Every structure is written in C-alpha cells, then in structure tokens.
Amino acid sequence: MDPRAFSRTAAPAAALALLVLVGGTGCTGGDTGVRGTPGAVGLRDPYFPKLGNGGYDVRHYDLTLDYDPAGDRLKGTAEITARATQDLSAFHLDLRGMTVEGATVDGVKAAANRAGGELTVRPRDDIDKGAEFRTVIRYSGTPETIIGPDKSEEGWLPTEDGGLAVGEPTGSSAWFPGNHHPSDKATYDIEVTVPKGLKAVSNGELTGERTSGGRTTFAWHEAQPMASYLATLAVGDFRVTSSRTPAGLPVLTAVDPAVAKDSAALLGRIPEVMEWGAKNFGPYPFSSTGAIVVPTDEVGYALETQSRPVFPVDQFDEETLVHEIAHQWFGNSVSPASWQDVWLNESFATYAEWLWMEDVHGTPVRKPFDAAFADDANWAFPPADPPGEEDLFGGPVYQRGAMVLHKVRQAVGDETFFSVVRGWAAKYGHSNATTDDFVTYVEVETGQDLTELWDVWLYGDKKPARP
Ligand code: TRP
Ligand code: ZN
C-alpha cells in the first residue's frame, strides 16, 4: 500500500541510490535502456534505520507455509506483489535467519544474497519505476526467537506443540521476508500446513481448510492493509470458535485447551467491547474480530495482532482486552509512520482503558490520570521521543501519552474531543500518521491553539506542577 512515510524518506533514499551509482555498482538497465539503481537498504527509521526497504511499495503478501512442530522447522514460499517507486536494479527484503533456497522476479530466476537481516534480490532485468512486479522467495529453517533490548521475546516463539509468531516491533522478519516497516502496509493471504490434529490460526478470515495425507492446510485472508508487525500465526492444539457480533461481524477465537476454562467468560464479552469501541471511535476498520489466548509461559505480553489479538492467559483481563481491541483503530488502522510515533498507538489504547473504566465501572478518568501523573517513571522522557529502542514501550509512551489525550479532552470538552477522536480514526484510517499530523489535526479540527498543552504534556522534559 502507498506508505505516506515514503514521501519523507524518498529524497534521502534517492540521494543514497545516486551515491551507490556514482560508486560504480549501479548497473545498466535491460531493453528499456533505463538505468536502475538499487533500492535503499532501510527507511531510516529513527530506531531501526535498516528496517524496511526503499524503492518499492508492497501491495500484497501471499505466504504459503509449512510448519513441522517436532523439528521446529518452517518451510515457506513468499510471493510478494509490489510496485517499484524508482527504476530498480536490485532491492532489499528484511529476513532474519532462515535459508533462502531461491528467488524469482516476474517468473525469472533472480540472484539472492544475504547479509545480516537483509536479503538482496537482483533481477535479471531492471524494474521500471511505477511497474508492478512479483517476487517469489523460497526459504526454510528454524525461525528465530528475537530477544529485544528490554528482554522481551518476539519473532517466532516455539511452544509445547507448535509455535506463535509475534512481531512488534521487528519480529515478523523471523518468519517471512518482506518490507518490515510499519509505513508499508499490504494485504495478506497466509496459508499454513500443519500436522493433522493441530490448528494454524492467523489474521483475518479463514477462507479454506483441507486435510490430506495426514496434514491440514488452513488458508487465511486479511483484506485490509496490515503493517507486518501485526501479522500473527499460532500453531498448536486450539479450540476454535466462530460466531458473530450483534452487528454481524465474524468473531473467531482460538484458545489453548489448557486455558479454555479461565478465558471463556471474557471471550464472551468481545462483542460488547467491539460495540463500545465503535460507539467511541467510529466504525470498526476490519472484516472480522476475535482473540488468541495461550498459556502464560508462551508469551510475556498481549499484542494487538490485526483483527485477532494475542493474549497470555494471565493478562487476559477486561482492561487488556479493551486495550488490544482499541489498537485495532489506533495502531492497526491508523498506523505509526515510524517507530517514533508509537505513542500514537499506546496513548489511545491506554486512554481507552481509562474511558472503559469510567463508562462501564464508574471510575472517573481522573483516578488513573492522577496515578499516572504521580509515578515519576512516566516522566522519564517525552512520549514522542523515547531515548532508545529499549524505551519504545516504556511508561511515558503509554501513561504519559494517555495523559496528553486527557489534557486535550479537558481543553476542548467532551463533545469536541470524541468527534476529534473519531475524525482522526476516519481521516488516517488504513494509513499512517506522524506526531505532527496529530498535533495539526487536533488544532485544525478544534480551532484552538494548544501550543502550551503540547509544550508541557507532549514535548516537555520536566514534570509540570500537579494540575
Ligand atoms: N504493543 C503491545 C501492547 O501494548 C505490547 C508490546 C509489544 C510490548 N511488543 C512489546 C511490550 C515489547 C514490551 C516489549 O499491547
Ligand atoms: Zn498497546
């Protein structure tokens, strides 16, 4: 999909490509005589400069996967449809670990080289700017578990009878090659074959299931653009339930039998949370909903994987359910333009919890606001400027971010605030947004100059006097 962030990175990417060309590694184009240059190795994300790749924009991922839990081996074919945003002599894909067995571009064998987390594909002929092309990567291996700087695990997490893929912020490159930056969203087909008796659950809707020769294949389709960090795959013994919300939206839940009893009651409340979300944030942006609930030792945190968030059972509580469902609007539909903008995800998801407590349990937002204000850890840095990668999911991003939203609500009043929240979700839905986009949007929509509010609550280095 067309990443808005590309407009910000296009100039430096072109400059970089030009340098490479002058350096002599550019190659002459094919029949057209166009001189293509290699796409940039990364999108210069402030936290992960090599994440994502320049020179193309992915439209669709068609993943055909085969997972063998006994050997913890994944075999995959990734068919990636993309549009070139420059004349390309070569392009990068992000892929960690795994062995690449072959690559083609538009059906013709292409050279594939690995270096670190980068896979470079060099097609026989250059690809013209604006052309849609299809690259197929065949790969296999034991997918990696990535330990983040904050010690959290992401990527592929092997479990007792299968595995779980969670990808925020960079883990999805452990199980499929792609443009793994949130600015390049795409639609997905994910087809997974597992031993008969096990299930494979992913994003979106189940479009097919067939068993032959002791193996079962599950086909999943995600019809709305998805950032790759929101792709998931859960393989194992799951109890799968399909139903519909009163509004007719499909609900698909998958629960490990060991935690089925403990999660049944809250799973039944998904329709209620969905309805509450739509009332406050506007129409739900995706074609289905649900949840994946796993034992606590399988993953240490919940994740808002698109249309079907993942929960360890010890965190499958009302507030976390509200948080992950709120992310479907904020984070999944309105996605960060870069990882610096992740506070736009977490502030809204946290504030949704506060609103739910107020609406449903009569706890005024003032209470969690005061508690967040009092905790000095939430004042360690401004929400939109985590000092390092290890701070991307720190208290200031969640709690101080939610405080920013509450200050806006106080400044503009409830009616305007909720119309701004819905307008924001509508205007930037299925797209990407920056912190600047947000500040500008709020000021334009409310007609108020909120400079002081932003200076103190969003950008300030010091904790202000208690309001
Ligand atoms: N974004 C998740 C949530 O708040 C949490 C999360 C994802 C996380 N990856 C992480 C927290 C890594 C800490 C470390 O719903
Ligand atoms: Zn969150």
Side-chain angles (χ1 to χ4, degrees):
M1 294 289 152
D2 208 11
R4 290 165 35 82
F6 267 55
S7 59
R8 298 196 309 164
T9 51
L16 194 71
L18 191 65
L19 275 176
V20 170
L21 182 69
V22 169
T25 52
C27 73
T28 312
D31 322 343
T32 59
V34 172
R35 182 175 284 252
T37 54
V41 64
L43 292 176
R44 302 180 159 209
D45 185 277
Y47 296 87
F48 310 101
K50 284 192 178 171
L51 195 63
N53 307 282
Y56 65 94
D57 172 6
V58 177
R59 293 289 169 81
H60 185 73
Y61 290 91
D62 195 341
L63 308 178
T64 306
L65 310 175
D66 188 304
Y67 184 65
D68 164 33
D72 190 17
R73 280 190 63 85
L74 180 71
K75 236 168 73 79
T77 302
E79 195 176 302
I80 302 170
T81 308
R83 196 179 54 83
T85 56
Q86 67 179 68
D87 292 323
L88 278 174
S89 60
F91 57 89
H92 288 256
L93 293 164
D94 303 315
L95 179 65
R96 299 257 305 226
M98 309 300 282
T99 301
V100 171
E101 283 146 5
T104 63
V105 174
D106 291 332
V108 179
K109 192 172 164 22
N113 288 293
R114 302 294 303 283
E118 298 289 330
L119 164 65
T120 309
V121 177
R122 185 173 291 274
R124 189 189 61 192
D125 298 325
D126 282 10
I127 302 164
D128 293 344
K129 178 176 179 177
E132 187 165 285
F133 64 98
R134 199 174 48 117
T135 186
V136 177
I137 311 294
R138 284 186 302 111
Y139 61 103
S140 66
T142 296
E144 287 182 10
T145 303
I146 299 165
I147 316 278
D150 59 359
K151 304 284 183 292
S152 62
E153 292 186 340
E154 57 165 333
W156 183 257
L157 316 182
T159 60
E160 195 132 313
D161 57 357
L164 176 67
V166 284
E168 191 182 27
T170 69
S172 293
S173 60
W175 61 287
F176 65 95
N179 198 11
H180 288 292
H181 190 269
S183 59
D184 191 1
K185 304 210 270 186
T187 54
Y188 284 71
D189 279 291
I190 303 179
E191 193 180 286
V192 192
T193 301
V194 295
K196 186 180 161 188
L198 297 186
K199 302 270 187 347
V201 182
S202 185
N203 311 89
E205 295 86 60
L206 183 65
T207 56
E209 181 181 335
R210 57 178 193 275
T211 299
S212 81
R215 316 270 296 158
T216 305
T217 300
F218 298 84
W220 296 90
H221 179 63
E222 174 54 62
Q224 280 79 34
M226 174 164 79
S228 73
Y229 78 92
L230 298 167
T232 189
L233 172 59
V235 174
D237 180 12
F238 283 104
R239 277 187 207 159
V240 175
T241 308
S242 297
S243 60
R244 281 183 189 267
T245 65
L249 188 79
V251 184
L252 186 140
T253 63
V255 189
D256 185 305
V259 302
K261 211 166 150 266
D262 287 346
S263 49
L266 191 55
L267 283 171
R269 296 185 65 187
I270 290 175
E272 176 192 345
V273 178
M274 292 292 299
E275 198 181 354
W276 179 87
K279 192 184 88 210
N280 284 286
F281 312 139
Y284 178 68
F286 304 116
S287 315
S288 62
T289 185
I292 298 169
V293 188
V294 300
T296 295
D297 58 2
E298 294 189 357
V299 61
Y301 50 86
L303 186 63
E304 64 265 25
T305 43
Q306 191 150 309
S307 73
R308 194 153 297 115
V310 169
F311 301 87
V313 70
D314 68 328
Q315 289 170 49
F316 192 52
D317 52 50
E318 212 176 291
E319 283 171 80
T320 310
L321 177 63
V322 168
H323 181 109
E324 307 309 339
I325 287 184
H327 270 311
Q328 305 304 314
W329 284 263
F330 308 106
N332 299 11
S333 177
V334 181
S335 300
S338 87
W339 284 109
Q340 179 142 25
D341 306 306
V342 69
W343 81 278
L344 290 171
N345 295 11
E346 301 304 345
S347 61
F348 276 102
T350 303
Y351 198 63
E353 295 178 53
W354 297 3
L355 285 172
W356 171 273
M357 292 305 287
E358 184 167 84
D359 268 10
V360 178
H361 296 287
T363 307
V365 165
R366 182 84 216 180
K367 262 193 129 162
F369 179 96
D370 283 348
F373 184 88
D375 186 349
D376 284 342
N378 293 329
W379 294 94
F381 55 84
D385 197 17
E389 191 194 321
E390 64 281 8
D391 305 306
L392 281 175
F393 301 96
V397 172
Y398 286 69
Q399 305 287 326
R400 189 174 159 186
M403 283 189 262
V404 171
L405 297 181
H406 191 57
K407 293 309 290 182
V408 172
R409 180 179 169 194
Q410 287 178 325
V412 305
D414 276 18
E415 200 180 318
T416 304
F417 176 74
F418 285 101
S419 106
V420 164
V421 166
R422 282 189 288 271
W424 171 249
K427 175 162 185 192
Y428 289 93
H430 297 311
S431 183
N432 296 84
T434 65
T435 301
D436 278 354
D437 290 332
F438 179 72
V439 165
T440 303
Y441 182 80
V442 173
E443 294 205 336
V444 168
E445 290 304 306
T446 64
Q448 289 198 36
D449 177 356
L450 300 171
T451 306
E452 202 185 309
L453 190 160
W454 309 127
D455 281 353
V456 173
W457 294 88
L458 179 57
Y459 298 121
D461 277 326
K462 278 200 290 296
K463 182 173 176 172
R466 194 178 173 284

